[in-house]
Amino acid sequence: MKRMLALLVAATLLLYGVSCGKDSSKEVLLQIYALDVGQGDCFLLRTGEGDILIDAGTESSQELLCLRLEQLGVTTLRLAIFTHPDEDHIGGADGVLQRFPAQEIWINGAESEEECFTALLDAADACNVTPRAVKAGDALEIGDVVLFVLSPFGGEIESGNADSIVLKIFCGNISAIFTGDADLKAEQALLDYYGASQLDCDLYKVGHHGSNTSTGADFLEAMSPTLALISSGKGNSYGHPHGDVLASLEAAGAKILRVDLLGEILLETDGIEIWQK
C-alpha cells in the first residue's frame, strides 16, 4: 500500500494538459466511453491490455448496452467494477457478464437482497470468478493504466451511496477520479484521509449523477478538474444534474460533459493530454 500511495502522490504532482482536439501523431493509450444508459452509470475504459467496465446501468438499458459493447468490438472484460449495489449501477451487470465474461470483478463488499445483485453474483459464478471486495489502497495495473482504490476504507460496508468504490485512475500524467454515488460525508472522509493534494485530477466523474448530495465545495476545490463528466438520464424525475452543482463546476472552470444532453461521450488520452472526440 505504501508503494501505491507513493505512486499516487508522485503521479498527482506531474504536469497535465487538456485539449478539445487531437494531434493525429499522438498515440492513444486510453479511451474512456461514457455510455448512454439513461438514468444510471456505465463507463468503458479501453486499454491496450484489455477493457475495463465501471458499472452497468439499469436493467432496462441492459440489451442496448450489450448491443453497444458488441458494436465497439468488446468480447471479454479484463476487469468489471461495480461501485455499489444500486439498480442504476448494476441492473445490467448480469447480462453484460453473461455476454462478455470478466477476468476479474470488483465490488465494494456490501450485501444486498436486491434481485439485480443476486443476478450479478450468479453471472460472476458462471464466469468462474469470485467478486473481490476492494478497499482503500488496493491497486491494479492494466497496460498503461493504473487503478487505485481510494475508498471504501474497510470495516462494515453499507449498501448505500456512502461506501461506493471511489477510484483514482492514472494514465501517464493524466488522472481521473470516479466516485460512484459517494456522498458529501464520503467526500469529507477522502479529504481527511488523503489531503487535498492527492485528490487533484484532470477528469472528475461527477458523483451521484450530478445530485447536490455530492460534489461538495472543498472536495471540488481539491480535485480542480478540467473536465466534469455527468451521467444522468434525459428529463429524469430526480432533476439530475442539479443546478447548484452545475454552477459550482462552472465556477471551478471545469468543462461539463453531460450524457443526457450529448448522448455517448468519448474521451481519449495519450498520457500527456486528454481530449473529447
Side-chain angles (χ1 to χ4, degrees), residues 44 55 59 78 157 185 188 204 207 232 236 248 255 266:
L44 178 68
D55 288 329
E59 184 177 359
R78 171 63 183 83
I157 305 299
K185 182 178 178 180
Q188 187 58 54
Y204 167 44
S232 60
N236 67 85
S248 295
K255 179 180 179 181
L266 171 59

Side-chain angles (χ1 to χ4, degrees), residues 53-73:
L53 193 75
I54 302 176
D55 288 329
T58 64
E59 184 177 359
S60 62
S61 67
Q62 183 180 103
E63 287 303 316
L64 287 177
L65 171 58
C66 289
L67 176 60
R68 183 59 182 139
L69 292 174
E70 287 177 353
Q71 291 172 341
L72 290 170

Side-chain angles (χ1 to χ4, degrees), residues 60-223:
S60 62
S61 67
Q62 183 180 103
E63 287 303 316
L64 287 177
L65 171 58
C66 289
L67 176 60
R68 183 59 182 139
L69 292 174
E70 287 177 353
Q71 291 172 341
L72 290 170
V74 177
T75 56
T76 60
L77 297 169
R78 171 63 183 83
L79 173 65
I81 302 169
F82 301 109
T83 59
H84 62 298
D86 278 0
E87 193 273 340
D88 58 334
H89 291 253
I90 66 166
D94 60 322
V96 168
L97 293 175
Q98 288 165 10
R99 297 195 202 183
F100 312 96
Q103 181 177 337
E104 188 169 354
I105 299 170
W106 289 2
I107 58 176
N108 71 342
E111 296 295 330
S112 174
E113 296 181 358
E114 294 295 328
E115 184 177 345
C116 57
F117 184 68
T118 301
L120 186 164
L121 296 180
D122 289 342
D125 186 60
C127 293
N128 295 314
V129 176
T130 300
R132 175 186 174 192
V134 294
K135 61 183 183 303
D138 288 335
L140 182 64
E141 184 174 352
I142 300 177
D144 297 292
V145 174
V146 174
L147 299 102
F148 187 90
V149 179
L150 295 176
S151 69
F153 295 104
E156 186 175 349
I157 305 299
E158 301 294 336
S159 61
N161 295 332
D163 284 324
S164 293
I165 294 174
V166 177
L167 299 164
K168 189 160 188 181
I169 300 167
F170 300 97
C171 181
N173 298 346
I174 296 296
S175 64
I177 287 181
F178 282 67
T179 63
D181 283 353
D183 59 13
L184 297 171
K185 182 178 178 180
E187 293 174 356
Q188 187 58 54
L190 290 165
L191 282 166
D192 293 343
Y193 189 83
Y194 294 102
S197 64
Q198 294 190 42
L199 298 176
D200 180 79
C201 63
D202 303 290
L203 169 65
Y204 167 44
K205 196 294 293 186
V206 178
H208 200 181
H209 319 287
S211 169
N212 56 16
T213 59
S214 303
T215 315
D218 291 343
F219 189 62
L220 181 56
E221 182 180 4
M223 290 186 296

